[in-house]
Amino acid sequence: MAQDMANIKRELMVKNIGRDPYKDLIMVDVVQRLGIDYEFKEEIEQVLERQYTAIDELVNNKDLYFVSLCFRLLRQHQYYVSADAFNNFVNKTRNLEIRGESNDALMSLYEASQLRVEGEEVLDEAEYLSRLLLQERMKFLNHDQSIAIKNTLAHPHHKSFARITEKHIISNVVNGNEGYEKALQELVTTDLALMRTIHDRELSAVSRWWNDLGLAQELKLVRDQPLKWYMCTTALLTDPGFSEERIELAKPISLIYIIDDIFDLYGTIDELTLFTEAVNRWDIAATEQLPDYMQKCFLSLHNITNEIGYKIYKKFGLNPIDYLKISWSKLCNAFLEESKWFASGHLPLAEEYLNNGIVSSGVHVALVHMFFLIGDGSTKEQAELITSNASMLSYPAAILRLWDDLGSAKDENQKGHDGSYVTCYMKEHGEVSVEAARKHVQDMISDTWKRLNKECFSPNPYSKTFIKGCLNLARMVPLLYNYADNQSLPQLEEYMKSISEMGVEALSAYRAVLRAIRKSFRGDDLMLRESAKEVRKKFEESRFVNSPPEIQRLLDEAREAADFIANMIVQAKPNDRGTYVLTLLTYSASSENGDDYVQDACSVTRYRNLCIRSLSPFSTTAKRNPTTWARAGVSVTISEAKRVASHLVKLSSSGGRYKGALQDCVEVFQDSLDNLHKSLYVLRELNGQTFTSQMSDVTTWMSAALTDEDTCLDGFSGHKGRQIKSLQNRIRNVSYITSNALALVNKLATTGVSDP
């Protein structure tokens, strides 16, 4: 395969590079957009060096398409080009004169404007005017032309991840370009096959590591998304040569999410303070007073970080452990600060929230690890860069935090009680509307991109690989937070399929078999251990199968095995008479296991089946403890309420005939979430002396939350339509879950406090 790529590359370069500056730039643009520029590093540098040598000619060039393309490509590769390059298109009043330009020229200008820095007013105007003109012209163009413009406006190359726009580039740019469309198509196909093989192997390694770590089984509420975490590494490090680095980088990324969830859902303030102190001291002995799950989490963090540090030391000669420890310490201190805000009911000023949120995003942890994994910190002087020049890390973090806080994130079951920049800004500025606050955040994201551009395109000590990783992290943010109306992430799902379609299915099948084993062999440690080992062996034997029909056959076999194990396995248990009792281990099994616990706990609820479905993951940890069941009920309620609240915010910002009702719902759901979070906090801090007053407060808050949700529902009474019906069902589902949680709280109030 490598030889095939070399032959195609040679054919492409010999025929098409070095003959025409115009076509050379188009070729550079296309291979970058296709995400295969790593194959053409030398050729790209040669083309751009020639163009930069003749930079004075650019100022006198009146071809807007060429000027815009050249400006963008040179800036992307850290060649300084002044915005004065567009002076030929400015009139005497310093306004752009571009209304007569072609659609291609306007799209090229719009793309170039995305690389502007602060103070470049001509490019601010270029973005606004080119967008306006293109949107006006779309009404009069055929379907293909309109789609090309729509894709450019929605996914400008500089702010989009290349693999996401690959299909548009192949259809709109590659096809029809004389002389190289066939060679490019072959190269893209070959590259895709190569990268999928690499990604499948890496994803398998990350999945094995995550399952062996066991934190997802220990902590039922934490996010269990190894595919998503690994996907992040493929965006940060796109070159296929960074295989080992991607596998290692997936580990700290996963721990960022897990520790975030522990701070959001599990720990009391006292426990979280002790956990943070242990991280600050980097001392396992400091965790002795912590709950078992926190000790296990810290031990995993401690061991994984030390292992990564040692691997980097063996490869590059400098152990970065001190820098890695500092990054984790900063993260946990930021998490703790947010937890204290919630516990006190205090919302900070917007600037204070954002400064802390930039750290709590976890971006700096991921980038610090990437910095050392790729060898950029192989000397003491280089290593100090990561602390002395932190803007390159903080700008992508700010973009991620602000995007998240726009209210479009719905995959985080845990987040929400620490407020958001929008909430803090509205509180600080009194009568500011939700729309005005969101517009302010969108402007901040645009300004942060300008600062990141300046940092990346100005001379700096970072390697091009690290700079590209920082940019790709910012480009990846819309994939993670840009939700469709049905709560799906279409761009993220498309990217996941592009990197490893069969790998995604194989991982799903593998995890389905492991879940079935855990269910059917519960309590039998020997069978659990040996069966899991056998499953892993079977999947390992099939790793290098590359025939699609054979892969599909193996996937079907795995799904059938998961179904059989989950529904047809029986266990024999001895009884007092010396005989054995066979029990079918299905969901409704009447045995002394977790199903009994959840059914007993949910017996006091009004919506019993919903209670059993939503709380069954807590059976093995809660057992017959009413305190733990009450906490679990409120936690699940917060998760569902947060998802619906985020959906309401997005709908309300889009306007429409129900805008007033939606805005009312946003307000009452925020009140509901505040009451739910206060309830969960008190349930974590119960004590015998104040138990009665504490439970009185919790009952009042939970009842108020239920009333808020019903009030939201009442606002849509009399309205019809599929969208309204769907929204009513989602709100009603939250009220049912809240009702169940209130019933569990009432049960706890009558039974008294117990140790969780």
Side-chain angles (χ1 to χ4, degrees), residues 552-677:
Q552 192 58 55
R553 184 187 68 78
L554 291 169
L555 290 172
D556 291 341
E557 282 185 4
R559 295 187 185 103
E560 290 173 6
D563 182 68
F564 181 88
I565 295 169
N567 298 303
M568 301 301 291
I569 295 292
V570 296
Q571 284 184 339
K573 296 184 178 181
N575 58 26
D576 296 337
R577 298 186 299 277
T579 58
Y580 290 85
V581 176
L582 292 179
T583 305
L584 184 63
L585 292 176
T586 64
Y587 180 75
S588 59
S590 57
S591 59
E592 192 61 28
N593 57 34
D595 292 337
D596 280 345
Y597 297 137
V598 71
Q599 291 188 48
D600 178 62
C602 291
S603 63
V604 299
T605 62
R606 182 176 181 181
Y607 307 100
R608 187 167 179 271
N609 290 337
L610 177 60
C611 176
I612 292 172
R613 287 200 305 272
S614 60
L615 297 183
S616 58
F618 299 91
S619 290
T620 55
T621 53
K623 297 185 178 178
R624 301 194 187 282
N625 188 305
T627 303
T628 307
W629 281 117
R631 290 184 188 175
V634 177
S635 295
V636 169
T637 305
I638 291 171
S639 301
E640 191 62 31
K642 173 62 177 175
R643 279 195 287 265
V644 174
S646 298
H647 185 58
L648 288 167
V649 169
K650 187 173 183 180
L651 289 178
S652 68
S653 65
S654 62
R657 58 189 295 195
Y658 309 114
K659 184 175 181 179
L662 288 166
Q663 288 178 334
D664 290 342
C665 266
V666 169
E667 292 182 10
V668 298
F669 253 82
Q670 187 59 57
D671 290 340
S672 176
L673 280 166
D674 289 343
N675 285 319
L676 290 169
H677 283 300

Side-chain angles (χ1 to χ4, degrees), residues 466-502:
F466 185 73
I467 293 172
K468 184 177 181 180
C470 293
L471 281 169
N472 277 348
L473 193 151
R475 292 163 176 157
M476 183 179 63
V477 170
L479 274 68
L480 302 175
Y481 298 111
N482 196 13
Y483 282 77
D485 289 339
N486 62 356
Q487 296 195 46
S488 66
L489 283 163
Q491 290 184 348
L492 180 62
E493 292 165 5
E494 182 180 350
Y495 176 59
M496 287 181 174
K497 288 181 181 179
S498 76
I499 65 171
S500 179
E501 190 158 11
M502 284 298 185

Side-chain angles (χ1 to χ4, degrees), residues 101-104 106-107 133-150 153:
E101 297 287 348
S102 68
N103 294 335
D104 287 341
L106 291 177
M107 286 192 286
L133 292 173
L134 288 168
Q135 287 175 334
E136 289 177 353
R137 295 182 185 185
M138 283 174 63
K139 306 170 187 176
F140 308 102
L141 300 175
N142 63 40
H143 176 74
D144 291 341
Q145 292 171 326
S146 295
I147 290 297
I149 292 175
K150 182 179 179 181
L153 297 180

Side-chain angles (χ1 to χ4, degrees), residues 155 161-168 479 491-492 494-495:
H155 308 291
F161 191 57
R163 295 287 182 183
I164 296 303
T165 56
E166 180 180 286
K167 290 182 179 178
H168 305 316
L479 274 68
Q491 290 184 348
L492 180 62
E494 182 180 350
Y495 176 59

Side-chain angles (χ1 to χ4, degrees), residues 201-229:
R201 183 177 66 250
E202 294 170 359
L203 181 57
S204 175
V206 172
S207 179
R208 286 198 311 275
W209 166 81
W210 175 245
N211 285 314
D212 291 343
L213 193 63
L215 287 179
Q217 290 75 46
E218 181 74 21
L219 301 164
K220 300 297 183 182
L221 280 180
V222 299
R223 279 163 283 187
D224 186 6
Q225 302 169 320
L227 175 59
K228 179 178 176 180
W229 303 330

Side-chain angles (χ1 to χ4, degrees), residues 290 453 568:
L290 289 173
N453 286 342
M568 301 301 291

